[in-house]
Amino acid sequence: MPLVRVDLAKLAREELERWADTAIARNMDLGYKGPEEGIEITGEPHLLRELLGNLVDNAIRYGRVGGEVTLGLTSMPATLYVEDNGDGIPLSERELVLERFYRRTEAGGDGCGLGLAISREIAVRHGAQLAIGDNPYSCGARVTVTFSNIEGLPHKN
Ligand SMILES: Nc1ncnc2c1ncn2[C@@H]1O[C@H](COP(=O)(O)OP(=O)(O)OP(=O)(O)O)[C@@H](O)[C@H]1O
Ligand SMILES: [Mg+2]
């Protein structure tokens, strides 16, 4: 994969614009918390867009109608997260939802259970780790991707 310098802050804000209408249709407040620019990593922009898109798609799909979806970004190491106010993902299923084709019985809708598996794969290819947790501010999920500063560091799959 051809690697370039990517500003995650710019990429994230561009990606969020693509989801604005979908969020409005669900009466959700789609927001960005982070710097306007300057969080650089080495990566492949199309794959990173797909990763972000999958996480935002899930947060809008499984989050609470009328609630908030927030994409946040912090530095050192570059870390991005997407959180929502839905029912969240129970501890017992956090590994399972990362497997291909696994969907929670509550999920409904027409997904095929690939978004998170693909996202984790993209994260791993970037030497990053994807973790599923709770939204610290309310109910709902927070999915975090942490990009290691150190290239070539061994990572868990
Ligand atoms: N933010 C979230 N809140 C609650 N459940 C979630 C969230 N994100 C994912 N899930 C659960 O994890 C399952 C797997 O998610 P994943 O994105 O891999 O597949 P999908 O959304 O079902 O289909 P698609 O391939 O279209 O993304 C979902 O079916 C849903 O049950
Ligand atoms: Mg999905």
Side-chain angles (χ1 to χ4, degrees):
M1 91 183 163
L3 299 177
V4 294
R5 294 300 283 169
V6 182
D7 189 338
L8 282 178
K10 282 190 188 159
L11 191 105
R13 293 190 309 131
E14 281 167 20
E15 187 60 25
L16 280 183
E17 272 178 33
R18 291 205 316 120
W19 290 94
D21 290 345
T22 316
I24 288 168
R26 286 177 58 75
N27 193 24
M28 283 172 161
D29 183 2
L30 179 62
Y32 174 70
K33 228 189 240 181
E36 298 214 340
E37 54 179 27
I39 308 249
E40 289 205 342
I41 62 158
T42 301
E44 206 293 310
H46 295 100
L47 292 179
L48 291 167
R49 259 182 228 285
E50 184 173 352
L51 189 169
L52 278 175
N54 286 338
L55 300 186
V56 174
D57 178 37
N58 282 348
I60 293 175
R61 246 200 263 194
Y62 308 117
R64 183 171 60 82
V65 173
E68 290 176 15
V69 168
T70 304
L71 192 165
L73 193 58
T74 57
S75 59
M76 298 213 286
T79 303
L80 68 85
Y81 63 85
V82 178
E83 66 195 17
D84 62 61
N85 315 138
D87 295 333
I89 302 175
L91 217 48
S92 58
E93 282 180 279
R94 287 182 187 171
E95 273 301 317
L96 292 168
V97 293
L98 294 171
E99 300 293 331
R100 283 172 185 260
F101 306 118
Y102 185 86
R103 305 196 73 224
R104 300 193 57 227
T105 42
E106 294 82 353
D110 55 0
C112 48
L114 284 174
L116 284 174
I118 291 168
S119 298
R120 175 165 66 172
E121 179 64 32
I122 293 171
V124 166
R125 282 214 219 171
H126 284 82
Q129 287 184 328
L130 184 150
I132 294 172
D134 294 317
N135 181 337
Y137 303 113
S138 82
C139 56
R142 176 190 269 202
V143 181
T144 305
V145 182
T146 310
F147 294 84
S148 167
N149 270 336
I150 308 157
E151 289 188 16
L153 196 74
H155 46 255
K156 276 195 208 155
N157 278 325

